[in-house]
Structure formats: structure tokens, C-alpha cells
Amino acid sequence: PLICSKSLGNEGGERGHHGDEEEQQQGAWAEAAGGQPLVMPEDGYQWKKYGQKFIKNIQKIRSYFRCRDKRCGAKKKVEWQPGDPNLRVVYDGAHQHGSPSSNGGGQDADGAANRYDLSTQYFGGAGAPTPQTQ
DNA sequence: CTCTTTTGACCCCGC
DNA sequence: AGCGGGGTCAAAAGA
């Protein structure tokens, strides 16, 4: 039962090859969600995906996002189970330029960005997969 | 041309 | 100190 030694064995190497091309990222997400209309939890900030890995320890896909601003030490981790519409978002660090609103980039209003804290919040309903839209 | 996203490899941290 | 797993970075393609 040797599963991994490097790169866990599957990583993101699993490409979508079921014949249909996805136009946007959401399509790929639906693939991992089992066809569920997963949406990216827009928190008001812009994030840049810098990595994705399947955590075999918990059997979940984890995506790593970072703030687009270099002066921003804030990081975001999103993990979801293959076949589950709900995902968990973990915020790490804090923004140094503030403006979590969909303003257009954020000028200067630090402090408000720290509202995310370092807690793990569930989207879609933690332990209660009962979205009003479905 | 620049920015963003995707995948594999490598490095670092924790045990 | 070594191994395992997680996390990060880098290169290429697409928009």
C-alpha cells in the first residue's frame, strides 16, 4: 500500500478529460464537487491562487490563495471534499492596505481587514448542507 | 506585454 | 536527525 513518496501521488495532475472543456474555473470546481454549482466565496479581496493539493490525511482538496498585493502578508486556504458542495475557508495573516469592500482594489483603510481573524469559517453550512438555493 | 491560473517539483516544518 | 506531509515556488499557457 505505497501511496506516496513525492507529490502525494496525484496532486493536481488529475486533469479534466471527460471530453468537455470548461470555460471558467467554476467549471473545474464543479468537477471536483461532483457537478455541484460551487462558487468562489467573494470576500471583497482579490486572491491569487499559488497552489493546490489533495490532502490525503483528510481526503480533501486544498487550494492556496495569496493576496495580490505584495505588501500583503495575508493568505487564504480553501478546502473542500470531492463530492461536497460546501467548502472551508481558512484566512491567515492580515492585510496591510485594508479595504475589504469591492471598491476596486483598496486604497488605504487598514484595520478592517483584520476582521477575518484566524478562525476557520465554513461556507455553505458547516455540518448543515442546506443552502436556501437548493 | 502583463497578469492570472495550473501542475509538478522541491523545500521546510513537524513529529 | 530522518522521514512524511504540507506548503511554497517556478515555468508555461491563456486571456
Side-chain angles (χ1 to χ4, degrees):
Chain A
L2 204 298
I3 14 180
C4 60
S5 311
K6 256 181 157 25
S7 42
L8 295 180
N10 75 340
E11 207 70 8
E14 182 56 74
R15 277 253 67 194
H17 38 243
H18 44 89
D20 233 285
E21 288 83 50
E22 281 76 57
E23 293 83 57
Q24 46 189 238
Q25 52 182 90
Q26 200 178 102
W29 283 52
E31 187 184 328
Q36 238 47 235
L38 269 184
V39 301
M40 166 62 85
E42 184 57 81
D43 48 54
Y45 278 118
Q46 303 299 83
W47 305 91
K48 179 199 311 161
K49 184 190 291 179
Y50 69 94
Q52 183 180 77
K53 197 172 284 190
F54 180 74
I55 312 301
K56 51 123 171 180
N57 266 356
I58 53 186
Q59 281 252 289
K60 285 209 291 202
I61 304 167
R62 213 177 219 172
S63 291
Y64 298 94
F65 291 90
R66 229 174 176 181
C67 190
R68 277 158 104 196
D69 201 299
K70 55 180 177 291
R71 91 190 86 227
C72 226
K75 286 183 294 187
K76 179 194 202 179
K77 301 168 205 177
V78 182
E79 53 187 77
W80 68 87
Q81 292 176 56
D84 252 297
N86 46 66
L87 40 143
R88 171 194 270 178
V89 182
V90 183
Y91 290 90
D92 277 294
H95 299 272
Q96 267 102 86
H97 56 112
S99 235
S101 320
S102 334
N103 209 79
Q107 285 69 53
D108 196 48
D110 67 292
N114 298 298
R115 69 179 177 146
Y116 293 115
D117 199 61
L118 299 178
S119 315
T120 57
Q121 52 190 272
Y122 286 83
F123 281 84
T130 314
Q132 66 277 43
T133 178
Q134 189 178 9

